[in-house]
Amino acid sequence: MALELRPNCECCDKDLPPHATDARICTYECTFCADCVDSVLLNVCPNCGGGFSPRPIRPATEWRPGLSVAKRPPSTTRRQMSCSMEDAAAFSQQLKDIAPEKR
């Protein structure tokens, strides 16, 4: 099963195409832009409490049979956070000083 490449930041709704170098994901594939992760969410996923990593880039070229963005296209379903901005900010404040590997 391939990683779900979500098309947008769940916080600010910025477009994050498959080649976006500023896309960040948590372990549940929640997707946010680097600006929101750094300045709004403080590296705390508002949905699960985990940290973020850069989202991998799916190759545009089919280097191996069946494996490329053309053969395994990104999702077109736009998503939003499961909570309000106020709840996300309060949650981030609670967890921001705990390293992701210790949450």
Side-chain angles (χ1 to χ4, degrees), residues 43-44 49 94-103:
N43 196 35
V44 177
Q94 285 180 328
L95 299 179
K96 70 180 177 117
D97 295 325
I98 303 170
E101 63 273 15
K102 295 188 179 193
R103 288 187 202 148

Side-chain angles (χ1 to χ4, degrees), residues 9-13 32-33 35-42 44-47 79-93:
C9 173
E10 295 178 35
C11 185
C12 72
D13 201 36
F32 297 88
C33 69
D35 288 340
C36 286
V37 166
D38 294 341
S39 62
V40 177
L41 303 173
L42 309 176
V44 177
C45 178
N47 300 318
R79 302 194 186 220
Q80 294 183 335
M81 290 189 298
S82 61
C83 60
S84 70
M85 287 296 290
E86 294 79 19
D87 288 341
F91 190 62
S92 294
Q93 284 297 322

Side-chain angles (χ1 to χ4, degrees), residues 12-79:
C12 72
D13 201 36
K14 175 182 179 179
D15 289 338
L16 295 171
H19 60 275
T21 58
D22 64 336
R24 302 291 181 265
I25 60 170
C26 77
T27 190
Y28 292 102
E29 301 177 19
C30 301
T31 304
F32 297 88
C33 69
D35 288 340
C36 286
V37 166
D38 294 341
S39 62
V40 177
L41 303 173
L42 309 176
N43 196 35
V44 177
C45 178
N47 300 318
C48 71
F52 291 97
S53 295
R55 184 179 72 187
I57 304 293
R58 184 160 300 156
T61 301
E62 187 177 359
W63 300 105
R64 298 272 188 191
L67 299 176
S68 70
V69 75
K71 298 290 183 170
R72 303 228 179 166
S75 173
T76 58
T77 303
R78 296 182 83 80
R79 302 194 186 220

